[in-house]
Amino acid sequence: MEFKTDAKTNYTLIQPENGALSAKMAAELRQKVYELLEHNSTNFIIDLKQQPEMAIEAGSVLLDLHLQLYEKGHSMVFINLQESVLQSMKKEQLHLSLNLSPTLVEAIDIISMEILERDILNES
């Protein structure tokens, strides 16, 4: 699986190529995030606009990745979900744990707020 990446100051945008969000794609996405962590990327926006559907197994991989990143003080937001992907996430109640955003601008705002929160908590 190929991913387009675009590194910015506070986040890295990752866009998977076309195809369903399968467990295999989710595992490859997790591997890509780990590789980017080694190159000093810390916060991630995952653009799922080209994924028309999601396998249930993929959801557990994404949730696990999300939790691992947050434990290390990083952020992850998913954007541009197709309606069928959003419904799959809601069915599995992933929308209660994952950061989901309709647009890139809102995802950047979420990451900015989380960076600010971590900075404030670290000062205390």
Side-chain angles (χ1 to χ4, degrees), residues 28-82:
E28 290 173 357
L29 175 62
R30 178 180 55 209
Q31 183 60 37
K32 184 66 171 179
V33 167
Y34 290 155
E35 289 171 13
L36 291 167
L37 282 169
E38 292 175 7
H39 292 86
N40 297 324
S41 291
T42 57
N43 303 300
F44 302 92
I45 298 175
I46 313 300
D47 188 341
L48 297 177
K49 70 180 167 195
Q50 296 185 45
Q51 283 55 61
E53 54 192 34
M54 182 187 86
I56 292 171
E57 300 83 13
S60 350
V61 174
L62 297 178
L63 179 60
D64 184 53
L65 175 60
H66 171 84
L67 295 172
Q68 289 175 11
L69 288 172
Y70 273 80
E71 285 175 7
K72 296 178 181 180
H74 307 306
S75 297
M76 175 178 270
V77 183
F78 296 91
I79 64 169
N80 294 326
L81 280 71
Q82 299 290 330

